Amino acid sequence: RARRHMSTPGANTALLEKLEKAELRIGLCEDSKLAKLLDPALPNIIGFLATDDAAVRAKVMAILTHLNKRIRGDSSVALPLTPLAKQFANPATAPMASNFCLVYLEMGLGRAPPA
């Protein structure tokens, strides 16, 4: 069964503030440092798609849209394949989050160094 983040007004306000800060950090991050920032951040951000709160989902989608533009424009940005694969394979991951994990896994596989 998919894990859902339950809506509570105070928690969602704090979460939206954290997502705003993450969006700002990502927006200000130099392309050369983006991969390092995404390693912990991208799977966490994707995980918030499981929330019931429309404002949180909208903020996550705005962040992912921004990331898509930057990542697609710079093939040197490595993506955190192992955390994304673990999240994708976890049966508790919400379907929408799994779909985004798959999108980034597909995007990242072409950029991964040969094993």
Side-chain angles (χ1 to χ4, degrees):
R1 181 137 195 163
R3 176 182 56 197
R4 303 283 296 176
H5 295 281
M6 291 302 166
S7 294
T8 55
N12 288 342
T13 300
L15 179 55
L16 280 169
E17 288 174 6
K18 285 182 181 181
L19 288 169
E20 289 279 348
K21 289 178 184 176
E23 183 177 37
L24 183 60
R25 276 195 307 271
I26 291 167
L28 295 175
C29 184
E30 296 175 26
D31 287 345
S32 62
K33 298 178 182 176
L34 188 58
K36 186 174 181 176
L37 180 66
L38 292 180
D39 193 352
L42 184 58
N44 292 333
I45 291 167
I46 290 172
F48 290 119
L49 288 170
T51 186
D52 292 330
D53 187 290
V56 171
R57 279 195 316 270
K59 177 53 69 181
V60 170
M61 291 303 298
I63 293 169
L64 295 177
T65 299
H66 171 81
L67 281 173
N68 285 346
K69 291 176 186 170
R70 288 188 65 186
I71 292 168
R72 288 174 199 239
D74 184 353
S75 61
S76 70
V77 177
L79 297 173
L81 297 177
T82 300
L84 287 169
K86 287 179 182 177
Q87 190 171 7
F88 176 74
N90 184 343
T93 301
M96 189 169 182
S98 290
N99 288 341
F100 274 90
C101 286
L102 186 58
V103 166
Y104 288 106
L105 283 167
E106 289 175 345
M107 208 183 301
L109 284 174
R111 303 158 185 250

